[in-house]
Structure formats: C-alpha cells, structure tokens
Amino acid sequence: MSIRIAVALAATIGAGVLMSTAAQARPEMVGAHLADYSPGTIVVKTSERRLYLILDNGHAVRYPVGVGKSGKQWAGTTRIDGKYRNPAWSPPAEVKRDKPSIPDVIPGGSPRNPMGVAAMTLAGGEYAIHGTNVPGSIGGFVSYGCIRMLNDDITDLYGRVSVGTTVVVTR
C-alpha cells in the first residue's frame, strides 16, 4: 500500500471517528412530571443540563443544553423578548474583560460566532437561548449564563415558540 493511500485511509477513518463522537441533535418527546408549568413554557433544569418545552400536563420535548459554568449560573423566570436568525454577537462587558482580544462584534454566520444559527434573547439581562458552533460543549457547564443548544435543536425550538414565551430556569 502506498504511503499516500495509507494517509488518505487514516484520515478518512479518523474523520469518521471524530464525526461519530460529536454531539448530535436529539430533541426527545418525554413524559414529564412538570405539572406546575403551563403548556408552551420552557423549563431549563441547570443541574440536568436539559431544556424542556412543556407540551401538556404529561409531555414535553427535551433537549440537551450547555449551561452557565460555576459562578455564572442563575435561576428565575423571564420571557423571550427577541428571536434572531444568524445573529451578530457583541460580547458582554464581563466576557470582554475576561477575553480582551475578542472582537467587539462577530458577524452572524461566522464560525467564530458563539450564537450559532439562531438566538432567542431573554428579558431582563444579557442572556439568551442560542445555538453553538462548538457542539462538544453541549451537556457541560460552559457559558457565562446563556443556555446553549445544538444548532439543529435551537432551529427546532425556535419554530415552536414565540416572543413572550415564559422561560423558567431552575438549578
């Protein structure tokens, strides 16, 4: 076997392994014991790193998410106050302070944009439920307080909810 073929084969196998271990979109219909919430409510359970969209008294759509890292988590009730496709991103002051070399604006669609393909901003702060261009971060304590989703999952959720939707974040 020539070295060129061996290198190509190794690269193909390596790419397949990397692709098979990456996070994949996986919203699931689940039975939910979340009777305290009205249908249409988004409930984020930080400790589980899961987001639930309540469908009715016993059912929800569940998505894996990335949540705030230690010291950056929050809990409370808010509402979606904006919905954006391919949003540009300006780092909040806290992010800029921690990472001063980060650009003041990262355009929508850029692979460096941490918002991914869509974002839904939350009233009362600098937080959002948004996609990500780093799918391996889903399931972790990774953000400055935003709720991070796989791009396919944020696209699905984006189509299911509207501005004004209630969002409850619990620890």
Side-chain angles (χ1 to χ4, degrees):
M1 178 183 306
S2 78
I3 190 76
R4 187 177 291 168
I5 292 171
V7 169
L9 181 60
T12 302
I13 291 169
V17 168
L18 286 174
M19 290 171 59
S20 67
T21 59
Q24 297 178 5
R26 53 185 177 267
E28 329 172 58
M29 181 75 70
V30 296
H33 301 287
L34 300 166
D36 295 342
Y37 304 105
S38 302
T41 302
I42 293 172
V43 178
V44 178
K45 293 193 168 195
T46 302
S47 63
E48 292 180 16
R49 289 164 319 283
R50 297 280 187 263
L51 180 151
Y52 297 84
L53 174 61
I54 307 303
L55 300 177
D56 60 36
N57 199 14
H59 301 91
V61 179
R62 179 175 65 189
Y63 305 87
V65 296
V67 298
K69 49 187 153 181
S70 181
K72 308 295 183 197
Q73 297 172 9
W74 59 278
T77 301
T78 186
R79 292 191 180 277
I80 294 173
D81 72 357
K83 292 175 63 175
Y84 308 92
R85 295 256 186 207
N86 292 311
W89 180 70
S90 295
E94 182 178 17
V95 175
K96 191 72 170 166
R97 187 174 50 253
D98 290 351
K99 301 174 184 181
S101 64
I102 201 163
D104 291 336
V105 175
I106 300 176
S110 167
R112 295 184 58 219
N113 185 316
M115 302 298 271
V117 300
M120 297 181 291
T121 54
L122 302 177
E126 295 183 328
Y127 302 123
I129 299 170
H130 63 81
T132 183
N133 292 319
V134 185
S137 68
I138 301 304
F141 297 97
V142 294
S143 76
Y144 277 75
C146 286
I147 308 303
R148 193 181 292 181
M149 300 179 75
L150 295 168
N151 282 329
D152 286 345
D153 287 349
I154 189 67
T155 298
D156 181 72
L157 182 64
Y158 187 101
R160 293 175 184 261
V161 300
S162 59
V163 170
T165 295
T166 299
V167 177
V168 179
V169 177
T170 67
R171 292 193 184 208

